[in-house]
Amino acid sequence: MLTSYCLETPKLNWGEDGAPHSEKFDDVYFDKDAGLEEKRYVFLQNNHLNERWKNLSSARPSQDHFTIAETGFGTGLNFLCAWKAFLEDAPTDTTLHFVSVEKFPLTKDMLTNALTMWPSLKEYSQQLIAHYPELTHGFHRIELAQGRIQLTLWFGEAEEGFAALNASVDAWFLDGFAPSKNPEMWTSNLFKHIHRLSHQGTTCATFTAAGIVRRGLKDVGFEVRKVKGFGQKREMVVGELNEQPLTFTERMAQGEAWFNVRQNPSQHSGHEEHHQKHVLVVGAGLAGATTAHALAEQGIKVTVWEQGKTVACKASGNPQGMLYPKLASQDTPVNRFYLSSYLYASKLYSKLDDSAVFWQQCGLEQRPTNEKEKQRFTNLLENKLYPTSIVHKHGENGSLFLPLSGWVVLTDLCQKLLDHPLINVRLMTRLEGLEKDDNAPHPWLASHQPANDKIPQERFSHVVICTANDTHDLSFLPKTPAYPIRGQVSYLPLEAAQKACSSVNEDVGKLTTEHVLCQAGYVSPALKETLHFGATYDVRDLDETVRAESQQRNLRILEDLLHLETGTLNERDCGGRVSFRCAIPDYTPMVGPISTPAILENHYAMLSKNAKWKCNQIANPQDGLFINIGHGSRGLVSAPLSGSYLTSLITNTPSPLEQSIMDKLHPNRFVIRALKRG
């Protein structure tokens, strides 16, 4: 468990030539005179990337992408060289995934200074700098070049990052400072994970010929040889894994096969080998819209079925939502998920709405609800768990401030996400049944209502269920533990609120807030001259009507947030809306492949006798059937990264989530917990 997500940035000296030099490792990040040529020779040429990329093909789903993993991101120069070369050499409908680890990440200013030295890469470096993540521990997914370039950065120890990675790597850039100056990185466990993440034919290249690297690669099965080094350097090392006895699913299992999310490439392709993917997403709320958008951005055709008359017609249809992560005061896999999701969502919304039409990154003040929570906030700040760019102290009342937060018009957001040439939205279309034919090019046969539609049944390569509480109505799927929680939100015209304040001599200026306020409830800055606030949290309450009692509760919350006298505002001036959050008993979404419980119980019955039993033998999930529900009141935070994660599973590309997080999200977790309890 980490005591802080904050990272140590490197201490740099800038030489006369302007090149950055690490004080800690007494080594340069690159050679100013031959930096680009050396990178291209060592890593691109000696991994044979030019010819390998030219042979990629979208007609073969297992070969429509290429994955590079790197030890030591540094200034990002290797990545920029690979990005430029990939766009030049690879077919236009293929994707590059680049995964890199960095224990001492540069600040954005350091990165900017370092990359000004390479004007030929300016087009690419400016985009990298613009999307460079917050310096916080964990994975960061960055999408560039309209989705064709996917950068996954791990900030933290290299060994920890590759242990957490779920991916199949095609080529390794073994970079970093000279092994003689940084021997701590080259551990035996690091090499074991390099092997785990590699398949037969995976190559590697490194500028060094140091024995610690050669022996480490040989010990895990790479065929290693020395070749001519760059320039005056006598030799360097290249390698290839000629034999990998474990399948992709076995390599990713790491002893917990019940949390498998992958299909082996041979299984994954099948008849689909010569057919483009076509994914059915069921539900056009926030989970469905973010999933569809993530898929479409990867060039995948998507059809969305929504049984309602509009998109975001249920819980995702509240007029004004807030990006509110509720970050914990200690490190857990679930908190890591929400932290990563929060950073990803904030950047996505800013990218989708750079003119601030439906997304306002105004920040959020989180006030403590009691003395215990006030102390928790104090501990969080004093322990420096998060960088100040993510959360810092606000005022003298013990509040936190989250500058990356804000509010969003949910319906506009969902519409924007679904407004994509590869997405076809069908309203008033209810999923009625699913059948699977493994011999068909697109194995999933989905039937729908209305029955008088011209095509009552259609075929898809994959299906993603994003139906929240309505999932219980799909009798052909395994039951989930999800349950509804009633939430009534309220809205009050600003003019009516001002009149109410004036009538009791309250300061109308209190109605104006520059950022979102949260405590027992929330209020956002006025939208279209209206305050939106709430919300009730009514468990075991299925009343769909707007109730006066709930309005009054919300008004008392609003008055408290705005420091108004109780009873200042009038319920008769309010409007309201009722919807139902989809909640999961462990307060964590269910995101991943759907499996048949009986198969799990039979295949992993040993867990009922030994809860610590390890197994790499996969009881495969139903190939191509996924679920994405249970985001509760934090869907604006968790849905976008969940959609990106599901896209990585459907495309068989690197996951943007740590393995421990994937396990916590996995739909199988409830069956496995029951087995372990005997």
Side-chain angles (χ1 to χ4, degrees), residues 192-357:
K192 288 176 183 177
H193 283 296
I194 287 174
H195 177 262
R196 179 182 68 85
L197 295 164
S198 301
H199 56 77
Q200 183 176 334
T202 294
T203 61
C204 65
T206 177
F207 65 93
T208 184
I212 189 174
V213 178
R214 286 186 287 110
R215 289 190 298 272
L217 290 169
K218 286 181 178 178
D219 287 347
V220 296
F222 276 82
E223 181 182 305
V224 177
R225 58 191 177 90
K226 295 179 182 178
V227 297
K228 171 69 174 68
F230 179 79
Q232 300 302 312
K233 192 170 179 61
R234 188 161 59 89
E235 53 193 13
M236 56 170 279
V237 163
V238 297
E240 182 171 351
L241 189 64
N242 293 323
E243 184 179 355
Q244 173 55 275
L246 299 178
T247 64
F248 184 31
T249 55
E250 289 171 337
R251 289 187 281 125
M252 295 305 104
Q254 299 194 75
E256 296 189 325
W258 41 87
F259 288 142
N260 175 57
V261 295
R262 297 295 191 176
Q263 294 292 315
N264 291 317
S266 58
Q267 293 173 277
H268 185 73
S269 55
H271 284 269
E272 194 188 339
E273 191 73 27
H274 304 292
H275 293 266
Q276 296 296 321
K277 296 180 181 70
H278 183 188
V279 180
L280 172 64
V281 173
V282 186
L286 193 57
T290 50
T291 300
H293 180 81
L295 288 163
E297 285 290 284
Q298 287 298 287
I300 297 172
K301 182 180 178 182
V302 184
T303 294
V304 178
W305 288 359
E306 168 56 55
Q307 66 180 2
K309 295 180 180 179
T310 62
V311 302
C313 58
K314 293 198 173 181
S316 299
N318 286 338
Q320 195 175 17
M322 56 177 176
L323 189 63
Y324 183 19
K326 299 180 184 177
L327 298 174
S329 57
Q330 61 182 1
D331 174 39
T332 66
V334 172
N335 190 56
R336 290 189 183 202
F337 168 64
Y338 280 110
L339 176 58
S340 294
S341 296
Y342 173 53
L343 300 177
Y344 183 85
S346 180
K347 285 191 175 291
L348 175 64
Y349 300 152
S350 297
K351 176 182 174 183
L352 290 171
D353 187 23
D354 55 8
S355 56
V357 175

Side-chain angles (χ1 to χ4, degrees), residues 349-367:
Y349 300 152
S350 297
K351 176 182 174 183
L352 290 171
D353 187 23
D354 55 8
S355 56
V357 175
F358 57 81
W359 157 244
Q360 293 282 344
Q361 194 174 50
C362 58
L364 180 149
E365 178 186 348
Q366 184 179 357
R367 297 175 182 168

Side-chain angles (χ1 to χ4, degrees), residues 25-289:
F25 296 104
D26 188 25
D27 203 355
V28 293
Y29 281 82
F30 50 71
D31 184 318
K32 170 63 174 68
D33 295 325
L36 292 185
E37 291 79 6
E38 182 178 23
K39 302 293 187 184
R40 288 167 178 152
Y41 173 80
V42 172
F43 298 113
L44 303 187
Q45 183 175 327
N46 277 286
N47 275 299
H48 312 292
L49 296 187
N50 175 276
E51 53 265 43
R52 293 168 77 181
W53 287 346
K54 286 181 178 178
N55 290 326
L56 291 177
S57 172
S58 63
R60 297 187 296 276
S62 61
Q63 298 179 32
D64 62 359
H65 57 268
F66 193 92
T67 299
I68 295 171
E70 175 189 53
T71 57
F73 186 70
T75 64
L77 198 55
N78 290 342
F79 166 64
L80 295 174
C81 289
W83 175 359
K84 184 175 186 294
F86 186 83
L87 295 186
E88 293 169 350
D89 296 336
T92 57
D93 51 1
T94 57
T95 305
L96 174 65
H97 285 262
F98 196 101
V99 182
S100 188
V101 299
E102 180 58 62
K103 184 178 180 180
F104 303 104
L106 275 66
T107 66
K108 185 176 285 192
D109 287 342
M110 290 175 180
L111 190 70
T112 302
N113 289 338
L115 293 178
T116 55
M117 304 182 70
W118 310 109
S120 63
L121 296 174
K122 183 178 179 181
E123 174 188 353
Y124 309 99
S125 61
Q126 285 183 336
Q127 293 182 59
L128 171 62
I129 292 164
H131 293 89
Y132 196 61
E134 302 296 322
L135 300 189
T136 182
H137 184 279
F139 278 127
H140 302 266
R141 171 60 60 86
I142 303 167
E143 283 127 8
L144 300 157
Q146 291 77 51
R148 279 199 71 199
I149 307 297
Q150 301 275 314
L151 172 62
T152 304
L153 287 175
W154 169 267
F155 287 160
E157 292 279 2
E159 180 185 318
E160 183 188 1
F162 290 131
L165 181 62
N166 187 297
S168 185
V169 175
D170 300 302
W172 287 91
F173 290 5
L174 300 179
D175 202 358
F177 296 115
S180 60
K181 298 179 179 181
N182 185 24
E184 295 84 3
M185 184 175 76
W186 304 100
T187 65
S188 60
N189 281 337
L190 175 71
F191 287 109
K192 288 176 183 177
H193 283 296
I194 287 174
H195 177 262
R196 179 182 68 85
L197 295 164
S198 301
H199 56 77
Q200 183 176 334
T202 294
T203 61
C204 65
T206 177
F207 65 93
T208 184
I212 189 174
V213 178
R214 286 186 287 110
R215 289 190 298 272
L217 290 169
K218 286 181 178 178
D219 287 347
V220 296
F222 276 82
E223 181 182 305
V224 177
R225 58 191 177 90
K226 295 179 182 178
V227 297
K228 171 69 174 68
F230 179 79
Q232 300 302 312
K233 192 170 179 61
R234 188 161 59 89
E235 53 193 13
M236 56 170 279
V237 163
V238 297
E240 182 171 351
L241 189 64
N242 293 323
E243 184 179 355
Q244 173 55 275
L246 299 178
T247 64
F248 184 31
T249 55
E250 289 171 337
R251 289 187 281 125
M252 295 305 104
Q254 299 194 75
E256 296 189 325
W258 41 87
F259 288 142
N260 175 57
V261 295
R262 297 295 191 176
Q263 294 292 315
N264 291 317
S266 58
Q267 293 173 277
H268 185 73
S269 55
H271 284 269
E272 194 188 339
E273 191 73 27
H274 304 292
H275 293 266
Q276 296 296 321
K277 296 180 181 70
H278 183 188
V279 180
L280 172 64
V281 173
V282 186
L286 193 57

Side-chain angles (χ1 to χ4, degrees), residues 319-322 360-365 401 405-409 492 494 510-518 522-533 558 562:
Q320 195 175 17
M322 56 177 176
Q360 293 282 344
Q361 194 174 50
C362 58
L364 180 149
E365 178 186 348
F401 191 74
S405 294
W407 59 262
V408 65
V409 181
L492 176 65
L494 201 54
K510 292 181 178 180
L511 298 170
T512 302
T513 173
E514 295 181 351
H515 48 258
V516 180
L517 302 176
C518 293
Y522 72 90
V523 61
S524 296
L527 170 65
K528 297 180 180 178
E529 297 298 308
T530 302
L531 292 171
H532 296 90
F533 54 97
L558 177 62
L562 298 178

